[in-house]
Amino acid sequence: MDPAYASAFAALAGSVIGGLTSLTASRLTQRTQVRAQQIAHDVASREDLYKDFIEEASKLYADALEHDQADTAKLVRLYALVSRMRVRSSPPVIENADRIMRVIIETYLGPNITLRDLSVSLENRQAMDPLREFSEACREELRTLELSGPSTPRL
């Protein structure tokens, strides 16, 4: 083979390899960025869902402490939030959300609580903070999602 051809072929091959390397690196970077954006969006939407559930459950729990009759529309909204969680959340989050629903319903069925009764029950942290385990399960799930981060995607 003519040395000029070998030199030209080597230069051409080097250019092709360099171009493919650059293209591959660019594609990997773009896919990693897209994955990071998807995770950030998923975390943000779950945070909103959990925030809505906590706010609604807190209001209903306080109402259940004072009243015998539940506002069915508000209970249905809480059930809808739990159903949305069933689509995207981990089993520990869903189990805790179901437990909170049972606590709220049982509280409505129980006797009303006065401020004096409430001060006595301060010793029972679970009675005062039925959302604690739910919040911890949510925090763990969100932390796990954030730590999973964008992995290197397959081409």
Side-chain angles (χ1 to χ4, degrees):
M1 181 189 272
D2 189 4
Y5 287 126
S7 176
F9 181 71
L12 183 62
S15 293
V16 169
I17 291 171
L20 286 175
T21 302
S22 177
L23 180 66
T24 302
S26 175
R27 187 169 179 210
L28 282 174
T29 300
Q30 184 179 17
R31 290 183 73 179
T32 301
Q33 289 174 346
V34 166
R35 177 74 179 134
Q37 289 172 346
Q38 288 173 336
I39 290 172
H41 177 71
D42 190 30
V43 167
S45 65
R46 287 184 197 209
E47 284 175 344
D48 289 342
L49 176 60
Y50 300 155
K51 178 186 70 105
D52 291 346
F53 178 81
I54 289 170
E55 288 175 356
E56 197 67 30
S58 297
K59 290 175 190 175
L60 280 171
Y61 184 65
D63 187 62
L65 289 171
E66 298 175 345
H67 300 96
D68 305 19
Q69 299 295 318
D71 183 349
T72 308
K74 290 180 182 176
L75 276 174
V76 168
R77 172 156 163 64
L78 199 60
Y79 272 112
L81 291 170
V82 172
S83 292
R84 286 177 50 200
M85 283 183 231
R86 288 184 203 291
V87 173
R88 40 188 353 190
S89 299
S90 64
V93 171
I94 296 165
E95 289 167 10
N96 279 293
D98 284 338
R99 184 187 54 76
I100 290 167
M101 290 296 302
R102 285 190 305 275
V103 166
I104 290 171
I105 291 169
E106 289 170 6
T107 305
Y108 270 116
L109 296 173
N112 292 342
I113 296 182
T114 65
L115 188 56
R116 185 175 308 276
D117 298 334
L118 195 59
S119 68
V120 169
S121 69
L122 282 175
E123 296 170 8
N124 182 357
R125 275 205 168 281
Q126 183 62 26
M128 289 307 301
D129 193 5
L131 293 165
R132 182 182 183 111
E133 289 178 24
F134 174 79
S135 300
E136 290 171 357
C138 292
R139 182 178 35 250
E140 180 61 28
E141 178 180 83
L142 294 173
R143 187 183 67 76
T144 302
L145 275 174
E146 289 170 342
L147 289 178
S148 70
S151 60
T152 305
R154 286 181 266 131
L155 292 177

